[in-house]
Amino acid sequence: MSAPERIPPRSVTTAELLALGELKVRGRIREASNAVLYCSVSYEGRDAFCVYKPIAGERPLWDFPDGTLAQREMAAYEVSEATGWGLVPTTVLRDGPYGEGMCQLWVEALPEADGDGLLALVEAEEPAAGWKAIGFAEVGEGETALLVHADDVRLRRLAVLDAVINNADRKGGHLLPAGEGRLYGIDHGVTFNAENKLRTLLWGWAGESLTPEAIEVLTALRDGLAPGAPLATRLAELITTTEIDATRARVEAMLASGKHPEPSGEWPAIPWPPV
């Protein structure tokens, strides 16, 4: 009699690990304005570190009265996944030591290989080759410097995502260059407002034509956001109908113009502090 066939163990996905694993709080990230806990998570032999943001630790925001920060973080992840760009670390909603909240894979940020990073202050009137101007910033009494960001395809994709989700807080500290040339964006709790609240450091392409890749992605998002489509159905569990309609309108506007959006003048264009 032959031996029974041995079935190899099933690999645990990152989403399963975060959603089903045992969370252990290791510390608190005190710089955050809401409760942000650094945790380990373990499930079926796989371990990782993650960020857990319990809803109970959120401070109410007058201009984001609906839903929760955790739900908007989850919605941002869903849209990121729909783009195919994978710009947001794996994110789930789950119960934890302090109740329901957002749980996101911890990404260990690495210095950029060229040593210059993604953002810089330069003493010049125009950006050098390979850089895009954001604007002038005060660096001392009566002194200014030009704030620039890299002309980087990863940042450009993130600029498109931010415009779609109406990110009101894209700071430099929310950009995490990781291994294998990956770049992630984090902290998406203030997104999807029905009013135009786009605040970002990634204005370098404002008014420029979208890339063919971006047009293709936005076209797919338009289909995914159609009533009854999978992405729209998932977002309906996380944000309001008005916010979904506004997201559709932003995608349509970008496709109609074929350009990156420009500051509206109705809202501060750059978050403060910028880092």
Side-chain angles (χ1 to χ4, degrees), residues 10-32:
R10 183 183 64 85
S11 297
V12 175
T13 67
T14 302
E16 288 175 327
L17 171 65
L18 294 176
L20 303 175
E22 181 184 5
L23 276 181
K24 291 185 178 180
V25 177
R26 302 297 183 181
R28 180 174 180 177
I29 301 174
R30 297 192 176 277
E31 295 82 3

Side-chain angles (χ1 to χ4, degrees), residues 64 76 158-159 161-171 174 185-193 195-203 250 267-269 271:
F64 285 83
L158 198 56
L161 176 66
D162 282 344
V164 171
I165 66 176
N166 198 16
N167 192 350
D169 195 31
R170 175 60 72 206
K171 297 177 180 177
H174 300 166
I186 60 170
D187 284 353
H188 297 107
V190 286
T191 50
F192 294 101
N193 201 297
E195 299 179 8
N196 184 359
K197 291 186 179 290
L198 183 59
R199 291 196 307 171
T200 176
L201 287 178
L202 305 181
W203 285 116
R250 290 190 294 271
W267 182 257

